[in-house]
Amino acid sequence: MAVKSKKIYLDEKEMPRSWYNIQADMPNKPKPPLHPGTHQPVGPDDLAPLFPMELIKQEVSTEKYIEIPEEVFDIYKIWRPTPLVRAEALEKALDTPAKIYYKNESVSYAGSHKPNTAVAQAYYNYKEGIKRITTETGAGQWGSALSFATQHFGIELKVFMVKVSFEQKPYRKFMMNTWNADVVPSPSELTDSGKKILAQYPDSPGSLGIAISEAVEMAAKDPDTRYSLGSVLNHVLMHQTIIGEEALVQMQKAEAEADVVIGCFGGGSNFAGIAFPFVRQNLSNGKNIQIIAAEPASCPKLTRGRFQYDFGDTVGLTPLIAMYTLGHNFVPAKIHAGGLRYHGAGSIVSQLLKDKLIEAQSVKQLETFEAGVLFSRTEGIIPAPETCHAIAVAIREAQKAKEEGKEKTILFNLSGHGMIDLAAYDHYFSGKLENHEVTDEEITRSLDELKIGV
Amino acid sequence: MAVKSKKIYLDEKEMPRSWYNIQADMPNKPKPPLHPGTHQPVGPDDLAPLFPMELIKQEVSTEKYIEIPEEVFDIYKIWRPTPLVRAEALEKALDTPAKIYYKNESVSYAGSHKPNTAVAQAYYNYKEGIKRITTETGAGQWGSALSFATQHFGIELKVFMVKVSFEQKPYRKFMMNTWNADVVPSPSELTDSGKKILAQYPDSPGSLGIAISEAVEMAAKDPDTRYSLGSVLNHVLMHQTIIGEEALVQMQKAEAEADVVIGCFGGGSNFAGIAFPFVRQNLSNGKNIQIIAAEPASCPKLTRGRFQYDFGDTVGLTPLIAMYTLGHNFVPAKIHAGGLRYHGAGSIVSQLLKDKLIEAQSVKQLETFEAGVLFSRTEGIIPAPETCHAIAVAIREAQKAKEEGKEKTILFNLSGHGMIDLAAYDHYFSGKLENHEVTDEEITRSLDELKIGV
């Protein structure tokens, strides 16, 4: 029999050697972050207590390509290059003329794309002699990726995990422990921020905002400790572009050209990872690829937020960032896609959206799980609830192709698997999930509360 | 920089097209299974109510190679060929002159090697027009693999899951549900066997033996329903040889020759999968490869059992099988490697061991987790507790190579990941795990109870 390839692998020798820095190509550069107190652009010195200098440089770099260090490349080889897969079984189930490809980032042993930046960040900290890193994690994807990364470089990791997740998602905690990280439920007694919250609300379930405050405070107080963030920042998004760079080579091998590229959207890291190299194709190589961010209808900052300066955290300690936001006090409904429950979008993605170089669609929770179940029953992988948003939009586009009777090539980022999120599927099957859609009034109220002054 | 490959991929076009049937090459053929009542060799008619005829033929076939049907091959492509990986980080941590390779079967979306036979079995049932399949599952690995497989062919699946696991391991149940299977805690009210147990012990936690009885009974009573088993039987082991056949091609690509091949051992399926093609190298191609089965010290049928006819199940309903056994009433300690808690070894592996064509080592629980943690911190993958047995023996062999100052190439089967077994690691870290070693008296007592008469 003739073998038609389903998966397009790259040899390790074919793995791209550089990350792509989209700042070099943007017609309008992202606006600078502002100091929360002075409202002046923040400089390297403001960030030095939190990040190693090399990452601060990357944050503002306008070099088009930044070489992946050999030590990072060597650890990437544990799971990279990741396969590009033709979703033929899904196409067949949809009876669509569209070709659907997905980049399978779920094959990393932390289960998502997150290690792409975790390894890079751990490396640059290691190079500057940093002994300890702090971070926060919600559902645990980021914390486990960073645990995997830091232990490779002998760096101690302290993870502040939102208390309610710490209690509800023990598997993520066990994973981090196995990779040698110390996981603390937040709010904790280890920081002033934590103590203050606990004094006021002894039963606080915690929040990502509080966990960030604790992690930042601990890093700022110790000269040997730095802080690490898993999304939103420019350097984080840049490290993720290895996804799209590989996909470009693989699409070429498959003799396919993407018409549509899709990623789900929380803080922007997996979306940027798949999308930015394709935005470059539009900007520099005369292509006309549609680039779509898929966000939850319950947290629609891209489709219904406002472009303005806002804080990255709930408490208001981070620099002010020019971005599409729902307001830093916005509390999204408790959907299972915890990784997409973030109020803002980061400055690069926001500028690209403002300049119409990318677009966005929002999806309600039930549609995302319907998509995830169909995907798992055709392609085999049970996707993470976050990833289900990208799949849902890919299915929409495939159905549109069918209605229009058009051939079309769709590429989406399969950012993570759902092995640790299986309870979400159980809730879906037992009819316990809801469609949360936020009202215009809620968004306006949250945005009107912002009195940033810039 | 020069890129040294860590992973050896095969293109789908390079995937072997046949399973290897070791029965063709065995100097002493396995003894025939006997009818539990008459003690006469069982014929196809005895098995026809339970299995499709094509699988019954494979069970006794002496053809050396059996071609993989195109429909099975197409589904294999969802995750196969699996990577062969050089465990350089582990080698470095052990400071050993040995080269260590592992075949990564954990990349299947059910998380283990089990889909290799699940897909084949589902296919042959589908070809014979079977509408429903029943099976049992303990911890859930087999049940999830078969769920993944049957839904591809539109076959309904009923899984009898040992009640204590059903309650303790909800994630496996959710996975099976997502792949469209109906999962029932066993003992259940759906069968006479289940009802009988419940009448006597309303709080019975269930056992694999009871679950087998329920699944077999339900299949035997309905002409449109068949039964499926995930290990032990000859055809099951044969389907797994795709693992070793791929590994042979990949080792050649890596310009490496295995001196030692290792698989963990429960019912024999992952061990046979990696080992049998290398046994062929010894039998037909003049090689002298050491083939080692790694079993738990708490269930040491290969190292300390007796070769004799015994039942495959606890209740005594299956054919009698000539095998190394601890006695079908033997109750192994509750180690976390649930997949290795089986009293017997299947007839082919037992005959190979008797003829000294393979060997076995037993490993205590703490050594296995120590190995698993070292592996996860070097190679990134958190292995299933069963797989940790193979890793422990690989580490022993690597350490022996160091002591002897000898180069040596070790290959082991990474049969599954531990994402759904992370609680076991938590127990290990919190000092709750024990080393269970069975005493000679216990084994003798269990074996002396057997009064089979053949």
Side-chain angles (χ1 to χ4, degrees):
Chain A
M1 67 185 147
V3 176
K4 204 163 59 171
S5 286
K6 178 167 178 63
K7 302 181 295 304
I8 296 104
Y9 282 130
L10 289 185
D11 195 278
E12 290 162 14
K13 293 181 181 68
E14 298 170 293
M15 205 199 312
R17 301 300 178 83
S18 301
W19 296 301
Y20 169 53
N21 179 16
I22 198 170
Q23 295 189 71
D25 287 335
M26 288 171 76
N28 298 308
K29 305 299 173 200
K31 290 182 192 295
L34 305 181
H35 190 283
T38 65
H39 290 191
Q40 293 304 306
V42 295
D45 290 352
D46 296 313
L47 298 173
L50 294 184
F51 301 105
M53 197 46 68
E54 200 57 37
L55 291 177
I56 296 171
K57 281 189 202 158
Q58 289 181 2
E59 189 66 17
V60 295
S61 168
T62 53
E63 290 287 319
K64 187 158 177 171
Y65 295 101
I66 291 182
E67 198 182 334
I68 301 171
E70 191 167 343
E71 291 89 336
V72 173
F73 195 89
D74 270 346
I75 299 181
Y76 274 2
K77 289 198 300 184
I78 289 180
W79 77 98
R80 305 208 70 84
T82 65
L84 177 79
V85 189
R86 172 82 184 271
E88 276 179 304
L90 176 64
E91 291 168 17
K92 206 170 143 192
L94 295 171
D95 186 25
T96 174
K99 295 194 182 94
I100 307 176
Y101 289 87
Y102 58 92
K103 181 71 172 156
N104 187 0
E105 289 294 306
S106 79
V107 300
S108 90
Y109 303 123
S112 80
H113 66 292
K114 291 287 185 194
N116 294 330
T117 184
V119 173
Q121 292 190 46
Y123 167 75
Y124 290 114
N125 276 285
Y126 159 78
K127 285 293 280 184
E128 292 184 24
I130 299 305
K131 303 276 180 270
R132 278 179 297 281
I133 293 181
T134 63
T135 199
E136 71 287 331
T137 201
Q141 276 282 13
W142 169 242
S144 29
L146 195 59
S147 309
F148 165 83
T150 47
Q151 55 104 16
H152 271 280
F153 294 104
I155 295 173
E156 281 175 35
L157 178 66
K158 175 92 71 187
V159 182
F160 290 91
M161 185 171 187
V162 176
K163 194 190 272 171
V164 58
S165 296
F166 182 92
E167 283 158 4
Q168 284 174 357
K169 303 206 168 182
Y171 276 40
R172 279 282 168 202
K173 172 166 64 85
F174 301 157
M175 200 188 295
M176 293 185 257
N177 291 153
T178 305
W179 282 326
N180 222 355
D182 187 25
V183 187
V184 181
S186 166
S188 78
E189 296 281 353
L190 299 178
T191 64
D192 291 342
S193 316
K195 279 184 210 160
K196 206 168 132 188
I197 301 280
L198 287 173
Q200 229 177 329
Y201 312 102
D203 295 329
S204 165
S207 74
L208 212 47
I210 298 169
I212 294 178
S213 305
E214 290 205 274
V216 167
E217 179 192 323
M218 185 173 270
K221 279 185 179 162
D222 177 356
D224 287 338
T225 302
R226 292 290 179 278
Y227 165 72
S228 175
L229 189 67
S231 192
V232 180
L233 297 178
N234 301 349
H235 67 272
V236 179
L237 272 50
M238 186 190 69
H239 298 151
Q240 293 292 353
T241 58
I242 183 72
I243 302 171
E245 293 295 345
E246 283 182 9
L248 271 173
V249 183
Q250 288 165 312
M251 290 296 280
Q252 207 164 16
K253 275 202 171 188
E255 296 175 12
E257 272 210 70
D259 299 303
V260 189
V261 174
I262 301 161
C264 65
F265 198 93
S269 84
N270 99 78
F271 169 76
I274 189 97
F276 285 3
F278 289 88
V279 175
R280 181 185 64 220
Q281 294 291 88
N282 288 345
L283 291 174
S284 310
N285 296 328
K287 302 286 181 191
N288 189 22
I289 305 161
Q290 197 184 359
I291 315 271
I292 309 174
E295 67 178 7
S298 54
C299 192
K301 61 243 182 190
L302 296 177
T303 48
R304 297 168 66 196
R306 187 187 292 164
F307 185 84
Q308 72 156 81
Y309 270 103
D310 193 6
F311 293 107
D313 68 329
T314 316
V315 188
L317 299 174
T318 69
L320 286 160
I321 299 171
M323 60 181 178
Y324 281 93
T325 179
L326 296 165
H328 63 271
N329 290 317
F330 182 79
V331 181
K334 284 183 182 157
I335 56 169
H336 274 280
L340 308 187
R341 295 176 69 246
Y342 186 70
H343 68 279
S347 62
I348 292 181
V349 169
S350 295
Q351 189 65 48
L352 292 171
L353 182 67
K354 193 159 184 287
D355 292 342
K356 299 193 170 26
L357 296 170
I358 63 168
E359 54 194 272
Q361 290 184 25
S362 72
V363 195
K364 292 184 196 173
Q365 182 160 251
L366 292 179
E367 184 182 342
T368 67
F369 277 95
E370 200 184 323
V373 169
L374 178 63
F375 188 80
S376 71
R377 290 184 182 174
T378 48
E379 296 296 315
I381 305 174
I382 302 177
E386 290 81 359
T387 308
C388 290
H389 289 71
I391 300 174
V393 171
I395 290 175
R396 284 183 186 174
E397 294 298 317
Q399 280 164 338
K400 211 192 290 176
K402 186 183 174 183
E403 285 157 23
E404 297 170 355
K406 267 195 211 157
E407 289 202 7
K408 190 196 277 187
T409 300
I410 299 165
L411 167 67
F412 72 87
N413 193 10
L414 190 97
S415 53
H417 67 62
M419 293 290 100
I420 313 286
D421 309 289
L422 281 163
Y425 283 86
D426 186 50
H427 289 174
Y428 172 69
F429 288 121
S430 42
K432 285 182 201 153
L433 290 195
E434 288 171 32
N435 270 333
H436 305 278
E437 203 173 13
V438 61
T439 64
D440 287 335
E441 290 67 38
E442 286 170 299
I443 295 176
T444 311
R445 198 182 321 130
S446 171
L447 286 168
D448 287 349
E449 272 176 16
L450 298 181
K451 299 202 179 0
I452 306 282
V454 280
Chain B
M1 67 185 144
V3 176
K4 205 163 58 173
S5 285
K6 177 167 179 66
K7 302 181 299 300
I8 296 101
Y9 282 129
L10 289 185
D11 194 278
E12 290 161 16
K13 294 181 181 67
E14 300 169 294
M15 206 199 311
R17 301 299 178 85
S18 301
W19 296 301
Y20 169 54
N21 179 15
I22 198 170
Q23 294 189 71
D25 286 336
M26 289 171 74
N28 298 308
K29 304 299 173 202
K31 290 181 193 295
L34 305 180
H35 191 283
T38 64
H39 290 192
Q40 294 304 306
V42 296
D45 290 351
D46 296 313
L47 298 172
L50 294 183
F51 301 104
M53 198 44 70
E54 200 56 37
L55 291 178
I56 295 171
K57 280 188 200 158
Q58 289 181 4
E59 190 65 17
V60 295
S61 168
T62 52
E63 289 288 318
K64 188 158 175 169
Y65 295 101
I66 291 183
E67 199 183 333
I68 301 171
E70 191 167 343
E71 291 89 336
V72 174
F73 196 88
D74 270 346
I75 299 182
Y76 274 3
K77 288 198 301 184
I78 290 180
W79 78 99
R80 304 208 70 85
T82 65
L84 177 78
V85 189
R86 173 82 184 270
E88 277 180 303
L90 176 63
E91 291 169 16
K92 207 170 143 194
L94 295 171
D95 186 25
T96 173
K99 294 193 182 96
I100 306 176
Y101 289 87
Y102 59 92
K103 181 71 171 157
N104 186 1
E105 288 294 306
S106 78
V107 300
S108 90
Y109 304 124
S112 80
H113 66 292
K114 291 286 184 194
N116 295 330
T117 184
V119 173
Q121 292 190 47
Y123 167 75
Y124 289 114
N125 275 284
Y126 160 78
K127 284 293 279 184
E128 293 184 23
I130 298 306
K131 302 276 182 267
R132 279 178 296 280
I133 293 181
T134 63
T135 198
E136 72 287 333
T137 199
Q141 276 283 14
W142 169 243
S144 29
L146 194 59
S147 311
F148 165 82
T150 47
Q151 56 103 16
H152 270 281
F153 293 103
I155 295 173
E156 280 176 37
L157 178 66
K158 177 91 74 187
V159 182
F160 290 92
M161 186 172 187
V162 177
K163 194 190 271 170
V164 58
S165 296
F166 183 91
E167 284 159 3
Q168 284 173 358
K169 304 206 169 182
Y171 276 40
R172 279 283 167 202
K173 172 166 64 83
F174 299 156
M175 200 186 298
M176 292 185 258
N177 291 153
T178 304
W179 283 324
N180 223 355
D182 187 25
V183 187
V184 181
S186 166
S188 78
E189 295 281 354
L190 300 178
T191 65
D192 292 342
S193 315
K195 280 184 210 160
K196 205 168 133 187
I197 301 280
L198 287 173
Q200 227 177 331
Y201 312 101
D203 295 329
S204 165
S207 75
L208 212 47
I210 298 168
I212 294 178
S213 303
E214 290 206 275
V216 166
E217 179 192 322
M218 185 172 272
K221 278 186 181 161
D222 177 355
D224 286 338
T225 302
R226 292 289 179 279
Y227 166 72
S228 175
L229 189 67
S231 192
V232 179
L233 297 178
N234 300 350
H235 67 273
V236 180
L237 272 50
M238 186 189 71
H239 298 151
Q240 293 292 354
T241 59
I242 184 72
I243 303 172
E245 294 294 346
E246 283 181 8
L248 271 173
V249 182
Q250 289 165 311
M251 290 295 280
Q252 207 164 17
K253 277 204 170 185
E255 295 175 11
E257 273 211 69
D259 299 303
V260 189
V261 174
I262 301 161
C264 65
F265 198 92
S269 85
N270 100 78
F271 169 75
I274 189 101
F276 285 2
F278 288 89
V279 175
R280 181 185 65 219
Q281 294 291 86
N282 288 345
L283 290 174
S284 311
N285 295 328
K287 301 287 180 190
N288 188 23
I289 305 162
Q290 197 184 359
I291 315 271
I292 309 175
E295 67 178 5
S298 54
C299 192
K301 61 242 182 191
L302 296 176
T303 49
R304 297 167 66 196
R306 189 188 289 164
F307 185 83
Q308 71 155 80
Y309 270 102
D310 193 6
F311 292 107
D313 68 329
T314 316
V315 188
L317 298 175
T318 70
L320 286 159
I321 299 171
M323 61 181 178
Y324 281 93
T325 178
L326 296 165
H328 63 271
N329 290 318
F330 182 79
V331 181
K334 285 184 183 155
I335 56 169
H336 274 280
L340 308 186
R341 294 177 69 244
Y342 186 70
H343 67 280
S347 63
I348 292 182
V349 169
S350 294
Q351 190 63 46
L352 292 172
L353 182 66
K354 193 158 183 288
D355 291 342
K356 298 195 171 27
L357 297 171
I358 63 168
E359 54 194 272
Q361 290 184 25
S362 71
V363 194
K364 293 184 194 172
Q365 181 160 251
L366 293 179
E367 185 182 342
T368 67
F369 277 95
E370 200 184 324
V373 169
L374 179 63
F375 188 79
S376 70
R377 290 184 182 173
T378 48
E379 296 296 316
I381 304 173
I382 301 176
E386 290 82 359
T387 307
C388 290
H389 289 72
I391 301 174
V393 171
I395 290 174
R396 282 182 187 174
E397 294 298 316
Q399 280 164 339
K400 211 193 288 173
K402 186 183 174 181
E403 284 156 24
E404 296 170 355
K406 267 195 213 160
E407 290 202 6
K408 190 194 281 187
T409 299
I410 299 165
L411 167 66
F412 72 88
N413 193 9
L414 190 97
S415 53
H417 67 61
M419 293 291 101
I420 313 285
D421 310 289
L422 281 162
Y425 283 86
D426 185 50
H427 289 175
Y428 172 68
F429 288 123
S430 43
K432 285 183 200 151
L433 291 195
E434 287 171 33
N435 271 333
H436 305 276
E437 204 172 11
V438 62
T439 65
D440 287 335
E441 290 68 35
E442 286 170 300
I443 294 177
T444 310
R445 197 182 322 130
S446 170
L447 286 168
D448 286 350
E449 273 175 17
L450 298 181
K451 299 202 178 2
I452 307 282
V454 280

